[in-house]
């Protein structure tokens, strides 16, 4: 299970971190309260604030980070049953996680739908208008085209309900970078059997890890998500393999937190 906190290392603000979170930085949009920017009724009243924000966040400006590639490595090793993400930045897809293993519970910019005639469009068709600060309009009926991002007040995509079979089958649950504030996604954290270990990799305790008695096999890795994932990869003996995957996928080495000495040694080894 993933939230906006796995994308902050890629430069995308999350929603609720005090000060840096998106909801603390929407003053420049003329909206009555922060969440309105993702509310469907407000969107129909005035789509401009959402499209102004979409221009900032539109996929293509950001790259996956260490955390996304860790999830990709889980898949490469045949260990990823499914990733449920709340993120709409598309970084899981960019990291090479196949759509069959990905549930984008809060939708995606990859496709869009006309709010009047319901015609579906590839998200790419909206890019030019959005980046030119124009509200995309349907060529057929002139209605406003809305990216298939799930707004407050909208149904979740059908694929979200795969959880009904996925979670009872899971033998490990990893929860990363989310405040677990938004339902029904947040409740998935309690949907695995009691015998199943749950690993929380997050700056702070959230959701049932706070308001419920901890389960005997909960593992809490509190702090920076990349450091937590790095420690996890290290315990699994996957650090080298993960760095190689990242180097292949990005064409550059990844030294998330190594010291200068470690980095010099790594470079020296490569030279030798
Ligand atoms: N390392 C560790 N934890 C981090 C990091 C980081 N680098 N950056 C952020 N976090 C943590 C924050 O402390 C917070 O607990 O990630 C969590 C992010 O929480 P939110 O900002 O609430 O994001 P998210 O949980 O994805 O929000 C859920 O709310 O508005 C809706 O639809 C929107 O999908 C979104 C949903």
């Amino acid at each position: 299970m993933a939230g906006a906190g796995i994308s902050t290392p890629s430069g995308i603000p999350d929603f609720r971190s005090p000060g840096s979170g998106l909801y603390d930085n929407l003053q420049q949009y003329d909206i009555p309260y922060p969440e309105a920017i993702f509310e469907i009724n407000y969107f129909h009243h005035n789509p401009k604030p959402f499209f102004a924000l979409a221009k900032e966040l539109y996929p293509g400006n950001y790259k996956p980070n260490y955390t996304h590639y860790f999830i990709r490595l889980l898949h490469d090793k045949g260990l990823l049953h499914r990733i449920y993400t709340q993120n709409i930045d598309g970084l899981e897809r960019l990291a090479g996680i196949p759509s069959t293993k990905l549930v984008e519970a809060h939708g995606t910019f990859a496709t869009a739908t006309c709010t009047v005639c319901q015609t579906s469009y590839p998200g790419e068709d909206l890019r030019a208008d959005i980046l030119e600060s124009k509200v995309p309009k349907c060529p057929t009926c002139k209605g406003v085209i809305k990216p298939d991002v799930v707004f407050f007040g909208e149904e979740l995509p059908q694929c979200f309900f795969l959880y009904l079979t996925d979670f009872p089958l899971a033998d490990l649950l990893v929860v990363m970078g989310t405040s677990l504030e938004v339902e029904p996604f947040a409740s998935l954290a309690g949907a695995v059997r009691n015998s199943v270990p749950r690993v929380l990799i997050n700056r702070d305790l959230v959701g049932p890890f706070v308001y419920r008695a901890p389960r005997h096999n909960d593992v809490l890795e509190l702090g920076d998500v990349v450091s937590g994932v790095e420690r996890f990869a290290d315990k699994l003996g996957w650090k080298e393999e993960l760095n190689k995957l990242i180097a292949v996928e990005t064409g550059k080495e990844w030294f998330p937190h190594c010291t200068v000495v470690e980095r010099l040694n790594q470079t020296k080894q490569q030279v030798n």
Side-chain angles (χ1 to χ4, degrees), residues 2-9 12-18 21-23 35 38 85-88 106 149-150 152 176-182 185 201-206 221-227:
I6 74 165
S7 294
T8 54
I12 304 173
D14 67 10
F15 292 91
R16 296 175 180 81
S17 280
L22 211 56
Y23 289 153
E35 283 80 358
F38 287 117
T85 186
Q86 298 167 96
N87 297 343
I88 56 176
H106 291 174
V149 168
V150 179
F152 291 115
M176 298 194 274
T178 177
S179 61
L180 292 179
E181 289 268 335
V182 175
F185 187 92
I201 304 178
N202 200 63
R203 191 174 289 138
D204 30 40
L205 281 174
V206 290
E221 180 64 47
L222 301 183
D224 172 68
V225 66
V226 170
S227 305

Side-chain angles (χ1 to χ4, degrees), residues 40-257:
I40 193 63
N41 292 334
Y42 189 82
F43 179 84
H44 289 316
H45 161 69
N46 176 11
K48 288 202 170 89
F50 167 75
F51 282 113
L53 179 64
K55 180 177 176 180
E56 298 294 313
L57 297 177
Y58 212 72
N61 306 328
Y62 303 95
K63 297 276 176 279
N65 65 65
Y66 195 82
T67 307
H68 298 97
Y69 286 113
F70 175 75
I71 302 165
R72 158 70 189 277
L73 187 58
L74 281 172
H75 165 65
D76 289 355
K77 287 177 171 289
L79 293 171
L80 178 69
H81 187 63
R82 196 101 59 201
I83 168 174
Y84 285 69
T85 186
Q86 298 167 96
N87 297 343
I88 56 176
D89 52 40
L91 294 186
E92 297 91 356
R93 293 173 185 234
L94 275 182
I97 297 165
S99 54
T100 50
K101 292 295 183 78
L102 176 61
V103 170
E104 293 165 313
H106 291 174
T108 172
F109 276 106
T111 53
T113 307
C114 172
T115 55
V116 175
C117 67
Q118 304 304 310
T119 305
S120 191
Y121 292 92
E124 267 316 298
D125 288 8
L126 282 61
R127 178 186 289 277
D129 278 350
I130 290 176
L131 297 186
E132 287 163 24
S133 305
K134 289 185 202 143
V135 174
K137 294 286 175 62
C138 175
T140 313
C141 75
K142 304 298 172 236
V144 172
I145 308 177
K146 175 184 150 306
D148 290 341
V149 168
V150 179
F151 276 44
F152 291 115
E154 283 192 304
E155 294 283 307
L156 268 61
Q158 275 306 304
C159 58
F160 176 75
F161 298 95
L162 282 170
Y163 83 86
L164 292 167
T165 46
D166 283 348
F167 278 69
L169 286 175
D171 48 28
L172 172 70
L173 177 66
V174 182
V175 181
M176 298 194 274
T178 177
S179 61
L180 292 179
E181 289 268 335
V182 175
E183 294 297 356
F185 187 92
S187 297
L188 295 185
V192 290
R193 289 164 287 135
N194 276 325
S195 60
V196 172
R198 300 182 306 180
V199 181
L200 173 67
I201 304 178
N202 200 63
R203 191 174 289 138
D204 30 40
L205 281 174
V206 290
F209 297 95
V210 178
Y211 57 72
R212 286 258 158 74
R215 292 185 182 183
H216 70 281
N217 46 10
D218 279 348
V219 176
L220 306 176
E221 180 64 47
L222 301 183
D224 172 68
V225 66
V226 170
S227 305
V229 169
E230 206 190 355
R231 261 194 295 284
F232 195 1
D234 195 23
K235 283 198 182 305
L236 289 162
W238 295 357
K239 262 181 94 171
E240 175 100 10
E241 204 175 345
L242 183 48
N243 281 335
K244 273 200 195 108
L245 170 65
I246 293 169
V248 167
E249 291 292 320
T250 60
K252 60 181 188 292
E253 291 295 285
W254 175 285
F255 299 94
H257 292 287

